[in-house]
Amino acid sequence: MIEPVRRSFIVLETLSRRPHGTIAVLADETGLPRPTVVRLLKTLIELGYVTQVSRHLGYRLTDRVLGLAQGIRFVDHFVDAAAPHMRRFTQKHGWPLYLGTISHRAITIRYSTAPESPMSFERSALQRRSPILTGALGRAWLAFCSDEERRAVLRDLGARRDASLAAAFARIRRDGYAFASLPRPGRLQGIAVAIRNGPRVLGCISMRFTRSAMTEADAGRRYGPPLNALARAIATDVAR
């Protein structure tokens, strides 16, 4: 933990909850000493994230902080582009779909057609986190992302890229889809594909199904092509 960084974000978060705030108010709400608050405010002003309104009103955030949310706004646009395609797929094939993006050592579910699927196993999965190394979504992401990103993600997870892992990613790229790789196979399985813009992975989509309904080979043969066509259609709409 880098303490000055932590304290800077405490000040930013405190200012974000009000139109403006004085040094006295900020010191009281953050629990930081006044001299510390003054130093942090000066730094944030130099960086362009804070401005002084007046001696009486104190300080407020500038619109530069909106730039910090560009990634979130992309996720919203991504979901808006993907949702109609995913709903049509579920209406046609029945199985629930899950849209995921990478987020702090896991894949976070951003949208799902589970509530609309007659073969769903849950009503909602929004914001659920899926493991990168063993989940279908994460394995599809790692297989199709750039070598540089793959190395960074594996390093962040504390995992080494050994021969078996490299072979698994090569197989996923060859097949065009990934399956979950769990220690103990359960009743459910997932098949996932990557949504790509050139070498960049924008997100991944998985379809969950019961093992009693079909084998992995059947799922790949029957749903691999339409899932990849779905991913390409979403990528096209995202780029518009």
Side-chain angles (χ1 to χ4, degrees), residues 15-165:
L15 278 174
S16 73
R17 293 192 287 268
R18 56 174 19 86
H20 43 72
T22 63
I23 291 172
V25 168
L26 292 173
D28 181 62
E29 292 197 5
T30 62
L32 298 173
R34 286 195 185 198
T36 300
V37 172
V38 171
R39 288 196 302 272
L40 292 173
L41 286 170
K42 286 182 177 178
T43 300
L44 292 169
I45 288 171
E46 286 295 322
L47 292 172
Y49 292 105
V50 172
T51 188
Q52 184 173 14
V53 182
S54 69
R55 185 182 296 272
H56 174 67
L57 294 176
Y59 303 81
R60 66 168 175 81
L61 298 178
T62 71
D63 58 3
R64 185 168 185 179
V65 299
L66 298 175
L68 300 175
Q70 286 179 355
I72 301 301
R73 292 201 294 273
F74 170 75
V75 169
D76 292 338
H77 172 60
F78 189 39
V79 170
D80 289 342
H85 295 281
M86 293 173 65
R87 286 196 295 267
R88 285 193 291 271
F89 184 98
T90 294
Q91 289 166 4
K92 180 177 180 179
H93 299 285
W95 297 107
L97 295 180
Y98 300 82
L99 176 69
T101 61
I102 200 162
S103 172
H104 189 57
R105 301 179 184 175
I107 298 290
T108 298
I109 304 301
R110 305 298 186 181
Y111 178 74
S112 171
T113 60
E116 307 158 38
S117 168
M119 294 183 279
S120 178
F121 323 103
E122 55 197 345
R123 289 295 91 196
S124 176
L126 293 183
Q127 302 307 313
R128 190 184 69 199
R129 291 168 65 78
S130 173
I132 293 178
L133 283 177
T134 57
L137 289 163
R139 290 169 69 81
W141 190 295
L142 287 175
F144 288 101
C145 69
S146 67
D147 287 338
E148 182 181 8
E149 181 179 5
R150 187 181 306 110
R151 285 194 298 268
V153 172
L154 292 176
R155 184 170 59 248
D156 193 39
L157 294 173
R160 287 191 311 172
R161 182 178 174 178
D162 55 21
S164 63
L165 204 55

